[in-house]
């Protein structure tokens, strides 16, 4: 208990781990999506990056990694207010096609699970917030009679990773150019 409490205190002190703190993925989920995947698996890297707020396509993350300017999106060239994970996922016009696929799949999954109203109000509407990311990617807050939370969460994670990894594969030259412009600095010894 003391160790768990210390870990929880540490998580609360690091805002970049807010999503991880909110979602609190189960051991079953971590094994399925992260631990049992081969190194370099695009879906697990995407989910781990999103869960820990360290996805390189987020302007604020790149600024922290490269000491470059914050707030300017290299994908669309816009200066998004609060160029964070939620803004990138829900506002960036360059991700509109991926968002369309992701939301269509999420809507279908939520409809089949009996929580379409939750999906519409929690995931498709409102300002881009970390809670919306937690809801749309991980199913946080979904309620429906007989809802199998683990299967529902897996289905939403699949929809998200499929849409975004397909977008990444289709835009490999853009993402590659972005990484060449903003290389991650190597640690000095």
């Amino acid at each position: 208990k003391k160790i768990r409490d210390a870990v929880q205190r540490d998580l609360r002190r690091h805002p970049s781990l807010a999503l991880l703190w909110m979602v609190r993925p189960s051991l079953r989920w971590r094994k399925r999506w992260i631990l049992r995947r081969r190194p370099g698996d695009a879906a697990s890297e995407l989910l781990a990056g999103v869960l820990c707020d360290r996805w390189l396509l987020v302007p604020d993350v790149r600024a922290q990694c490269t000491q470059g300017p914050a707030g300017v999106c290299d994908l669309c060239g816009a200066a998004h207010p609060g160029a964070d994970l939620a803004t990138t996922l829900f506002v960036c016009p360059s991700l509109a096609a991926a968002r369309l696929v992701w939301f269509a799949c999420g809507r279908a999954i939520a409809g089949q699970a009996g929580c379409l109203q939750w999906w519409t109000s929690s995931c498709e509407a409102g300002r881009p917030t970390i809670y919306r990311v937690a809801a749309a990617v991980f199913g946080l807050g979904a309620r429906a009679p007989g809802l199998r939370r683990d299967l529902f969460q897996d289905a939403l994670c699949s929809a998200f990773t499929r849409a975004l990894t397909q977008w990444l594969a289709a835009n490999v030259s853009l993402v590659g150019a972005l990484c060449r412009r903003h290389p991650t600095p190597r640690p000095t010894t």
Side-chain angles (χ1 to χ4, degrees):
K1 179 158 170 53
K2 286 182 181 181
I3 293 172
R4 185 184 68 214
D5 291 344
V7 168
Q8 290 176 350
R9 275 192 308 277
D10 284 345
L11 283 173
R12 282 188 219 114
R13 281 193 294 242
H14 300 284
S16 65
L17 298 177
L19 187 59
L20 180 63
W21 177 248
M22 268 193 264
V23 174
R24 295 181 187 163
S26 67
L27 178 58
R28 185 208 62 81
W29 185 91
R30 292 188 314 262
K31 283 180 180 177
R32 174 166 175 5
W33 288 99
I34 308 292
L35 301 173
R36 292 191 179 150
R37 299 286 178 120
R38 70 188 188 318
D41 178 74
S44 67
E45 286 182 1
L46 174 63
L47 285 171
V50 166
L51 202 54
C52 296
D53 196 11
R54 288 293 174 255
W55 189 36
L56 189 61
L57 292 186
V58 176
D60 286 356
V61 171
R62 281 194 314 282
Q64 290 172 5
C65 293
T66 65
Q67 289 79 41
V72 176
C73 181
D74 289 313
L75 298 174
C76 67
H80 297 300
D84 58 7
L85 176 66
T87 303
T88 302
L89 289 174
F90 294 118
V91 177
C92 181
S94 294
L95 294 177
R99 202 169 31 250
L100 189 65
V101 171
W102 168 29
F103 279 17
C105 291
R107 179 177 271 277
I109 292 163
Q112 291 170 354
C115 49
L116 183 58
Q117 184 178 3
W118 164 83
W119 173 266
T120 304
S121 64
S122 297
C123 304
E124 292 181 0
R127 295 178 313 117
T129 63
I130 200 72
Y131 179 81
R132 261 183 82 193
V133 174
V137 178
F138 303 100
L140 187 70
R143 304 245 188 300
L147 179 67
R148 290 277 317 270
R149 183 158 306 283
D150 56 341
L151 297 177
F152 183 68
Q153 186 178 49
D154 283 345
L156 288 179
C157 286
S158 287
F160 173 72
T161 57
R162 194 171 32 255
L164 271 287
T165 56
Q166 286 173 358
W167 182 90
L168 288 166
N171 292 280
V172 72
S173 60
L174 173 68
V175 174
L178 171 71
C179 292
R180 284 189 297 280
R181 274 198 316 268
H182 301 287
T184 303
R186 298 186 193 281
T188 57
T189 55

